[in-house]
PDB file of all heavy atoms in Angstrom:
ATOM      1  N   THR A 521      59.687  25.276 -15.215  1.00 84.00           N
ATOM      2  CA  THR A 521      59.635  25.830 -16.551  1.00 84.00           C
ATOM      3  C   THR A 521      58.743  27.176 -16.498  1.00 84.00           C
ATOM      4  O   THR A 521      57.685  27.186 -15.864  1.00 84.00           O
ATOM      5  CB  THR A 521      58.924  24.801 -17.589  1.00 84.00           C
ATOM      6  OG1 THR A 521      59.702  23.625 -17.520  1.00 84.00           O
ATOM      7  CG2 THR A 521      58.924  25.466 -18.989  1.00 84.00           C
ATOM      8  N   ASN A 522      59.132  28.152 -17.318  1.00 83.00           N
ATOM      9  CA  ASN A 522      58.328  29.360 -17.403  1.00 83.00           C
ATOM     10  C   ASN A 522      57.069  28.938 -18.311  1.00 83.00           C
ATOM     11  O   ASN A 522      57.248  28.822 -19.616  1.00 83.00           O
ATOM     12  CB  ASN A 522      59.058  30.394 -18.059  1.00 83.00           C
ATOM     13  CG  ASN A 522      60.049  31.096 -17.112  1.00 83.00           C
ATOM     14  OD1 ASN A 522      60.164  30.639 -16.043  1.00 83.00           O
ATOM     15  ND2 ASN A 522      60.777  32.083 -17.547  1.00 83.00           N
ATOM     16  N   ASP A 523      55.929  28.822 -17.729  1.00 83.00           N
ATOM     17  CA  ASP A 523      54.718  28.373 -18.510  1.00 83.00           C
ATOM     18  C   ASP A 523      53.531  29.182 -18.095  1.00 83.00           C
ATOM     19  O   ASP A 523      52.823  28.841 -17.166  1.00 83.00           O
ATOM     20  CB  ASP A 523      54.414  26.899 -18.319  1.00 83.00           C
ATOM     21  CG  ASP A 523      53.434  26.321 -19.268  1.00 83.00           C
ATOM     22  OD1 ASP A 523      52.744  27.066 -19.944  1.00 83.00           O
ATOM     23  OD2 ASP A 523      53.338  25.089 -19.502  1.00 83.00           O
ATOM     24  N   ARG A 524      53.288  30.311 -18.689  1.00 85.00           N
ATOM     25  CA  ARG A 524      52.261  31.188 -18.363  1.00 85.00           C
ATOM     26  C   ARG A 524      50.863  30.627 -18.466  1.00 85.00           C
ATOM     27  O   ARG A 524      49.966  31.085 -17.759  1.00 85.00           O
ATOM     28  CB  ARG A 524      52.346  32.504 -19.180  1.00 85.00           C
ATOM     29  CG  ARG A 524      51.977  32.240 -20.787  1.00 85.00           C
ATOM     30  CD  ARG A 524      51.993  33.513 -21.472  1.00 85.00           C
ATOM     31  NE  ARG A 524      53.315  34.287 -21.583  1.00 85.00           N
ATOM     32  CZ  ARG A 524      53.756  35.244 -21.074  1.00 85.00           C
ATOM     33  NH1 ARG A 524      52.787  35.981 -20.378  1.00 85.00           N
ATOM     34  NH2 ARG A 524      54.935  35.823 -21.136  1.00 85.00           N
ATOM     35  N   PHE A 525      50.656  29.672 -19.255  1.00 89.00           N
ATOM     36  CA  PHE A 525      49.289  29.075 -19.417  1.00 89.00           C
ATOM     37  C   PHE A 525      48.991  28.133 -18.306  1.00 89.00           C
ATOM     38  O   PHE A 525      47.839  27.631 -18.186  1.00 89.00           O
ATOM     39  CB  PHE A 525      49.154  28.291 -20.737  1.00 89.00           C
ATOM     40  CG  PHE A 525      49.079  29.257 -21.806  1.00 89.00           C
ATOM     41  CD1 PHE A 525      50.131  29.694 -22.550  1.00 89.00           C
ATOM     42  CD2 PHE A 525      47.753  29.690 -22.265  1.00 89.00           C
ATOM     43  CE1 PHE A 525      49.988  30.584 -23.666  1.00 89.00           C
ATOM     44  CE2 PHE A 525      47.695  30.632 -23.279  1.00 89.00           C
ATOM     45  CZ  PHE A 525      48.796  31.137 -23.952  1.00 89.00           C
ATOM     46  N   LEU A 526      49.889  27.909 -17.294  1.00 88.00           N
ATOM     47  CA  LEU A 526      49.626  27.114 -16.147  1.00 88.00           C
ATOM     48  C   LEU A 526      49.272  28.029 -14.956  1.00 88.00           C
ATOM     49  O   LEU A 526      49.149  27.547 -13.793  1.00 88.00           O
ATOM     50  CB  LEU A 526      50.699  26.198 -15.746  1.00 88.00           C
ATOM     51  CG  LEU A 526      51.016  25.087 -16.832  1.00 88.00           C
ATOM     52  CD1 LEU A 526      52.298  24.290 -16.276  1.00 88.00           C
ATOM     53  CD2 LEU A 526      49.782  24.204 -16.905  1.00 88.00           C
ATOM     54  N   ARG A 527      49.071  29.365 -15.122  1.00 88.00           N
ATOM     55  CA  ARG A 527      48.901  30.256 -14.064  1.00 88.00           C
ATOM     56  C   ARG A 527      47.536  30.066 -13.446  1.00 88.00           C
ATOM     57  O   ARG A 527      47.292  30.318 -12.308  1.00 88.00           O
ATOM     58  CB  ARG A 527      49.028  31.734 -14.487  1.00 88.00           C
ATOM     59  CG  ARG A 527      50.460  32.050 -14.668  1.00 88.00           C
ATOM     60  CD  ARG A 527      50.635  33.445 -15.415  1.00 88.00           C
ATOM     61  NE  ARG A 527      52.107  33.861 -15.593  1.00 88.00           N
ATOM     62  CZ  ARG A 527      52.380  34.898 -16.331  1.00 88.00           C
ATOM     63  NH1 ARG A 527      51.453  35.690 -16.819  1.00 88.00           N
ATOM     64  NH2 ARG A 527      53.756  35.107 -16.375  1.00 88.00           N
ATOM     65  N   LYS A 528      46.644  29.562 -14.304  1.00 91.00           N
ATOM     66  CA  LYS A 528      45.200  29.293 -13.687  1.00 91.00           C
ATOM     67  C   LYS A 528      44.783  27.977 -14.563  1.00 91.00           C
ATOM     68  O   LYS A 528      44.739  28.045 -15.772  1.00 91.00           O
ATOM     69  CB  LYS A 528      44.359  30.434 -14.094  1.00 91.00           C
ATOM     70  CG  LYS A 528      42.960  30.288 -13.384  1.00 91.00           C
ATOM     71  CD  LYS A 528      43.021  30.393 -11.889  1.00 91.00           C
ATOM     72  CE  LYS A 528      43.359  31.777 -11.460  1.00 91.00           C
ATOM     73  NZ  LYS A 528      43.340  31.907  -9.979  1.00 91.00           N
ATOM     74  N   SER A 870      53.230  37.562 -10.213  1.00 64.00           N
ATOM     75  CA  SER A 870      52.953  36.103 -10.436  1.00 64.00           C
ATOM     76  C   SER A 870      53.949  35.223  -9.995  1.00 64.00           C
ATOM     77  O   SER A 870      55.170  35.594 -10.028  1.00 64.00           O
ATOM     78  CB  SER A 870      52.638  35.955 -11.991  1.00 64.00           C
ATOM     79  OG  SER A 870      52.507  34.599 -12.310  1.00 64.00           O
ATOM     80  N   MET A 872      54.351  32.268 -11.333  1.00 55.00           N
ATOM     81  CA  MET A 872      54.718  31.466 -12.445  1.00 55.00           C
ATOM     82  C   MET A 872      55.175  32.418 -13.609  1.00 55.00           C
ATOM     83  O   MET A 872      54.302  33.130 -14.308  1.00 55.00           O
ATOM     84  CB  MET A 872      53.559  30.610 -13.026  1.00 55.00           C
ATOM     85  CG  MET A 872      53.815  29.959 -14.288  1.00 55.00           C
ATOM     86  SD  MET A 872      55.315  28.855 -14.506  1.00 55.00           S
ATOM     87  CE  MET A 872      54.677  27.469 -13.621  1.00 55.00           C
ATOM     88  N   PRO A 873      56.448  32.636 -13.870  1.00 56.00           N
ATOM     89  CA  PRO A 873      56.997  33.418 -14.928  1.00 56.00           C
ATOM     90  C   PRO A 873      56.498  32.905 -16.371  1.00 56.00           C
ATOM     91  O   PRO A 873      56.149  31.832 -16.469  1.00 56.00           O
ATOM     92  CB  PRO A 873      58.484  33.438 -14.801  1.00 56.00           C
ATOM     93  CG  PRO A 873      58.655  32.853 -13.452  1.00 56.00           C
ATOM     94  CD  PRO A 873      57.567  31.939 -13.092  1.00 56.00           C
ATOM     95  N   GLY A 874      56.417  33.789 -17.208  1.00 50.00           N
ATOM     96  CA  GLY A 874      56.080  33.433 -18.608  1.00 50.00           C
ATOM     97  C   GLY A 874      57.336  33.445 -19.601  1.00 50.00           C
ATOM     98  O   GLY A 874      58.296  34.209 -19.242  1.00 50.00           O
ATOM     99  N   LEU A 875      57.250  32.926 -20.643  1.00 48.00           N
ATOM    100  CA  LEU A 875      58.313  32.835 -21.652  1.00 48.00           C
ATOM    101  C   LEU A 875      58.230  34.191 -22.625  1.00 48.00           C
ATOM    102  O   LEU A 875      56.982  34.523 -22.860  1.00 48.00           O
ATOM    103  CB  LEU A 875      58.354  31.670 -22.547  1.00 48.00           C
ATOM    104  CG  LEU A 875      58.724  30.403 -21.939  1.00 48.00           C
ATOM    105  CD1 LEU A 875      58.506  29.191 -22.880  1.00 48.00           C
ATOM    106  CD2 LEU A 875      60.355  30.402 -21.547  1.00 48.00           C
ATOM    107  N   PRO A 876      59.316  34.795 -22.896  1.00 48.00           N
ATOM    108  CA  PRO A 876      59.198  35.856 -23.869  1.00 48.00           C
ATOM    109  C   PRO A 876      58.970  35.492 -25.297  1.00 48.00           C
ATOM    110  O   PRO A 876      58.856  34.234 -25.607  1.00 48.00           O
ATOM    111  CB  PRO A 876      60.639  36.543 -23.791  1.00 48.00           C
ATOM    112  CG  PRO A 876      61.550  35.348 -23.508  1.00 48.00           C
ATOM    113  CD  PRO A 876      60.684  34.411 -22.664  1.00 48.00           C
ATOM    114  N   THR A 877      58.890  36.308 -26.256  1.00 40.00           N
ATOM    115  CA  THR A 877      58.579  36.004 -27.595  1.00 40.00           C
ATOM    116  C   THR A 877      59.813  35.164 -28.228  1.00 40.00           C
ATOM    117  O   THR A 877      59.543  34.209 -28.896  1.00 40.00           O
ATOM    118  CB  THR A 877      58.410  37.292 -28.502  1.00 40.00           C
ATOM    119  OG1 THR A 877      57.456  38.089 -27.918  1.00 40.00           O
ATOM    120  CG2 THR A 877      58.064  36.877 -29.963  1.00 40.00           C
TER     121      THR A 877
END
Side-chain angles (χ1 to χ4, degrees):
T521 305
N522 290 0
D523 192 341
R524 65 177 67 245
F525 285 91
L526 293 179
R527 290 171 177 170
K528 190 70 70 178
S870 172
M872 170 56 80
L875 288 171
T877 305

